[in-house]
Amino acid sequence: MKKQVHSIEVRNAALARLSERGVTVEDIAEIVYLMQSPYHPGLTMEPCIESVKAVLEKREMQHAILVGIELDTLAEKGLLSEPLQSIIATDEGLFGCDETLALGSVFGYGSIAVTTFGHLDKHKVGVIKRLDTKTAEGRVHTFLDDLVASVAANASSRMAHRMRDEQEAELARAEALREHEAELRVEENGKGTEQAG
């Protein structure tokens, strides 16, 4: 029986690959902030960073990162067979496997994540734009730009749902407090009536 790869090893490898490719958690969190701050004016970077870290804990996301970056790296080194080598190295316009891999990792976070991914894929926000821009350095980020968009879209959707949950919980607490105060007033009024009688 083959040795099972421990999840900590997979997570550490995915984070290391992102770092090696020049992408930080903070880079991705900046995109999350840009996506969510219009809906939450008091938003800070801290919950955005926390949300990105939570998404990067997901095994499916880690696997996608490892596969995509491996293909980018092999293409950089010219180690893929043709015509795949040229297709990935040039980020061929009709090649959609990069988006397919990234999109597959978005479905677990609901429709907000899917639409956010589409927006990020089209508009190339933040570090995604840098990764998508072809340079003379010979770097290939055909998969990585879409994977970063996937992480950012997932983290953004996760935050949107959590912030709504927090708002609703706060409203429920406020309503429970109002009801409790109303009950206390009724009790006090009842005691006052008894004493007057």
Side-chain angles (χ1 to χ4, degrees), residues 24-25 44 46 107 130 161 190:
T24 66
V25 167
T44 63
E46 191 60 36
F107 289 124
R130 175 174 61 82
H161 285 286

Side-chain angles (χ1 to χ4, degrees), residues 63-82:
H63 291 164
I65 288 167
L66 290 173
V67 169
I69 290 177
E70 188 73 14
L71 287 167
D72 282 347
T73 304
L74 290 170
E76 264 179 22
K77 295 175 180 177
L79 295 176
L80 297 172
S81 60
E82 289 295 350

